[in-house]
Amino acid sequence: MTLSTVALLVSNSVWAQVTNGDFEQWNGNTPAGWSVIDGGISIAPTSDQIKTGGLAAKVTVNTGTQSNTDLLQTVHVEQGKTYPFAVSLYHTEGHVKARLVVDGYQGYSNPAQTNQWQDIRYTYTATTTKDIQVGLRFYDESGFDGAEVVYVDQFLPADTSEPPTPACNDTTATLTLVTDQYASETSWTLTNASGAVLFEGAGYANETTNTKDMCLPDGDYTFTINDAYGDGICCSAGNGSFTLTADGQTVASGGQFQYSQAFPFPLGDNEPTSPPSDLGEYYQSAAGKTGFALKTALYNIINSHNSRGYSAIWDLVKVADLDRYYENDGSILDMYSEQPATRDAVSFTKVTDQCGQYSGEGDCYNREHSFPKSWFGGKVEPMNSDGHHIFATDGYVNAKRSNWPFGEVGSASYTSGNGSKLGPAESGLGYNGTVFEPLDTFKGDFARAYFYMATRYENEIASWESNTSNADAILDGTNTTVFEPWMLKMLKRWHQNDPVSQKELDRNQAVFEFQGNRNPFVDHPEFVSAIWGN
């Protein structure tokens, strides 16, 4: 058998042994505290599959020859003490298997157990005080194709310099902070209603991902992000970003600011969240408003855009819908065929591959009204050419989606190459018809496009419910709530689970330059809960 190797070794601390065993801290593509020795594997941070926390390690085994492809640390153990080592793995194909290393080779993972987490465990009792090797080693199996991904997370016992944090009986707020090339300029605070600083952070390394969990009782809080130089953390010197989640929703996010940006938020009730008081010049007239008054204020800001006609959308998508984020090859970024974790099977060249005739996936791309045009009455302007809800998509998959509502599929009758699905809604969704389900990675993008439509066309959307049966399925006939309860609940869940990405920020700017208005829910994700509640 040929052999591909990765040993994940750990270092000493007072209470436990594994440094950065949860893979939350990174220096580029190297997890903090680990050192890559050889090139038989590649490793990168990922949020595609997570056992705990905000990140895991995506290990790609890319050699079928025996070598020492190690990711190393050192573990110190003391005579007579017992150490319960464990690691969680997620196999994607089943053609490599992992073996736990604890001062020698121990048990294997089950490579046939794919697309789910499994644990390898070994209890070790030190017979002498010494340094030992602890980690993983990957062996290729029959069918190995030269590149296979295994996700690794929660290598235990995890390193900490103090006793384990007691369980939080209140609300856990989690901050994920990605620093830019000048991380020493970045700091943050979380204060309570009286202004007392409860948590704070500073002194980060450049271009790393950092997380912080904070246990918060019910009350009012303000998260403030600071940059000493005054240029934020994105995008002049790197692609920094921050996201603060609490109670299952994003309460603060961004990266583009100057010296400081503050985000007030409450915990412990279901009332709409107060928007930030400083919204910048574009949204200033909405400052201090909540509920449907905020929605109307946003309508008044964005309701007068330059409708350039449907044919001009070709000019928009060749700028706004380019892949600068996954393959980063300048091809058309199609959310119905893009495969974020692997290389795309389909690649469209802008302009050259515009539809066109198609007979199957990958033939050409066209212009998808994510909010179908039949719902607002057909080729009616400005809705028909509003770039905030029109995306470049595979023509064949677009036709499969047709004008079915977005939803969550129970049993798929059709699945596209990247896993987008068509079929009857899953039980428990609150809707029994046919729905189309995009990839999890892009669900938030579509949800925010729908919140935009509900706001931009507040003056007329109440009349669209009767246009088609599918429009009736998602619209409630009002210009306030707009959506039926099942749809609103799902859209808010998609919005919360898939936060605003750099792709969306860039696209929002491109559409603004194209037609002169912005999507408020991309610029300020907290507006969703401020209008429609938690």
Side-chain angles (χ1 to χ4, degrees):
M1 177 183 297
T2 58
L3 175 65
S4 295
T5 325
V6 54
L8 307 179
L9 306 178
V10 291
S11 65
N12 178 46
S13 66
V14 174
W15 287 85
Q17 291 70 49
V18 181
T19 296
N20 194 25
D22 53 4
F23 298 97
E24 297 297 304
Q25 310 293 326
W26 292 79
N27 298 308
N29 281 339
T30 301
W34 310 77
S35 59
V36 175
I37 303 302
D38 215 337
I41 61 164
S42 63
I43 187 167
T46 183
S47 58
D48 294 341
Q49 297 294 341
I50 305 169
K51 182 66 180 291
T52 61
L55 293 171
K58 178 182 178 181
V59 177
T60 303
V61 182
N62 52 33
T63 181
T65 59
Q66 185 172 352
S67 60
N68 289 323
T69 51
D70 299 339
L71 187 68
L72 300 174
Q73 289 187 29
T74 301
V75 175
H76 184 78
V77 295
E78 297 181 16
Q79 182 178 3
K81 291 188 177 181
T82 297
Y83 302 87
F85 291 100
V87 63
S88 297
L89 301 113
Y90 187 105
H91 287 285
T92 59
E93 297 181 49
H95 302 307
V96 296
K97 63 182 177 182
R99 191 172 191 182
L100 185 63
V101 179
V102 180
D103 198 19
Y105 299 111
Q106 311 304 335
Y108 290 95
S109 65
N110 179 1
Q113 189 176 330
T114 60
N115 299 317
Q116 57 185 301
W117 287 100
Q118 60 177 291
D119 295 336
I120 313 177
R121 301 179 180 275
Y122 183 76
T123 300
Y124 176 81
T125 300
T127 56
T128 60
T129 297
K130 62 178 181 178
D131 292 341
I132 66 170
Q133 292 186 340
V134 179
L136 285 174
R137 178 161 285 181
F138 288 89
Y139 296 80
D140 61 296
E141 294 276 87
S142 176
F144 176 62
D145 59 6
E148 182 163 332
V149 171
V150 179
Y151 298 99
V152 182
D153 203 358
Q154 203 177 17
F155 208 122
L156 299 175
D159 177 33
T160 176
S161 58
E162 56 187 12
T165 303
C168 180
N169 295 320
D170 295 304
T171 298
T172 298
T174 300
L175 172 66
T176 302
L177 172 66
V178 181
T179 59
D180 63 4
Q181 297 167 8
Y182 296 94
S184 62
E185 300 169 359
T186 303
S187 64
W188 61 270
T189 61
L190 191 140
T191 57
N192 61 14
S194 63
V197 175
L198 305 181
F199 298 92
E200 59 187 339
Y204 296 104
N206 295 343
E207 297 183 297
T208 59
T209 299
N210 311 272
T211 61
K212 175 67 175 178
D213 289 336
M214 297 167 279
C215 188
L216 302 174
D218 292 352
D220 293 319
Y221 300 92
T222 299
F223 172 78
T224 305
I225 186 80
N226 305 294
D227 182 85
Y229 191 75
D231 61 351
I233 58 177
C234 183
C235 303
S236 60
N239 294 315
S241 65
F242 61 89
T243 303
L244 179 66
T245 60
D247 234 2
Q249 68 170 331
T250 299
V251 296
S253 66
Q256 292 181 294
F257 58 97
Q258 293 181 335
Y259 287 97
S260 182
Q261 190 172 14
F263 297 83
F265 65 95
L267 292 178
D269 59 54
N270 288 319
E271 295 301 315
T273 304
S274 298
S277 57
D278 181 9
L279 300 178
E281 182 177 352
Y282 187 81
Y283 295 107
Q284 193 56 51
S285 62
K289 295 180 172 63
T290 60
F292 298 130
L294 171 60
K295 181 169 173 288
T296 297
L298 295 175
Y299 162 74
N300 289 328
I301 293 170
I302 66 175
N303 73 348
S304 179
H305 74 264
N306 177 25
S307 178
R308 298 180 56 184
Y310 188 52
S311 62
I313 294 296
W314 289 124
D315 295 324
L316 171 64
V317 299
K318 72 182 182 182
V319 174
D321 291 335
L322 297 183
D323 189 347
R324 302 186 182 95
Y325 315 94
Y326 302 104
E327 281 78 18
N328 193 24
D329 58 3
S331 64
I332 290 292
L333 202 167
D334 161 24
M335 292 187 285
Y336 291 168
S337 65
E338 175 60 38
Q339 301 185 62
T342 60
R343 180 157 292 278
D344 292 342
V346 171
S347 180
F348 295 122
T349 301
K350 66 179 183 179
V351 181
T352 302
D353 290 329
Q354 289 179 186
C355 287
Q357 300 295 317
Y358 53 81
S359 58
E361 288 187 45
D363 287 346
C364 62
Y365 71 91
N366 61 12
R367 298 157 291 179
E368 155 81 321
H369 290 87
S370 64
F371 194 100
K373 60 187 177 184
S374 62
W375 296 0
F376 52 73
K379 297 179 180 180
V380 181
E381 295 297 341
M383 294 79 76
N384 190 50
S385 63
D386 192 328
H388 283 298
H389 81 109
I390 303 175
F391 305 90
T393 60
D394 186 296
Y396 183 82
V397 185
N398 186 352
K400 286 287 188 180
R401 186 265 164 123
S402 185
N403 64 353
W404 298 112
F406 284 132
E408 293 163 348
V409 172
S411 178
S413 59
Y414 164 78
T415 303
S416 76
N418 81 335
S420 299
K421 296 177 285 189
L422 180 72
E426 68 176 5
S427 60
L429 184 62
Y431 177 67
N432 296 321
T434 298
V435 294
F436 184 87
E437 181 176 1
L439 212 60
D440 288 350
T441 303
F442 303 121
K443 284 178 176 175
D445 303 52
F446 290 116
R448 286 177 281 276
Y450 273 44
F451 289 127
Y452 166 85
M453 293 295 285
T455 304
R456 168 61 183 87
Y457 300 104
E458 177 179 286
N459 61 322
E460 54 187 306
I461 199 168
S463 66
W464 296 353
E465 182 187 29
S466 60
N467 284 340
T468 71
S469 59
N470 286 329
D472 182 50
I474 74 143
L475 299 174
D476 72 347
T478 72
N479 68 351
T480 50
T481 304
V482 177
F483 301 109
E484 291 286 358
W486 74 271
M487 173 59 72
L488 180 60
K489 181 179 179 181
M490 183 191 74
L491 291 175
K492 289 196 287 185
R493 182 169 66 251
W494 286 11
H495 167 70
Q496 293 162 4
N497 293 342
D498 175 29
V500 173
S501 64
Q502 190 61 48
K503 176 183 83 69
E504 283 185 87
L505 293 171
D506 294 343
R507 192 179 200 278
N508 195 25
Q509 180 63 27
V511 178
F512 174 68
E513 293 171 2
F514 172 77
Q515 65 184 43
N517 72 342
R518 307 184 67 83
N519 184 337
F521 306 100
V522 174
D523 289 330
H524 288 279
E526 69 276 12
F527 282 164
V528 172
S529 58
I531 293 171
W532 285 280
N534 295 328

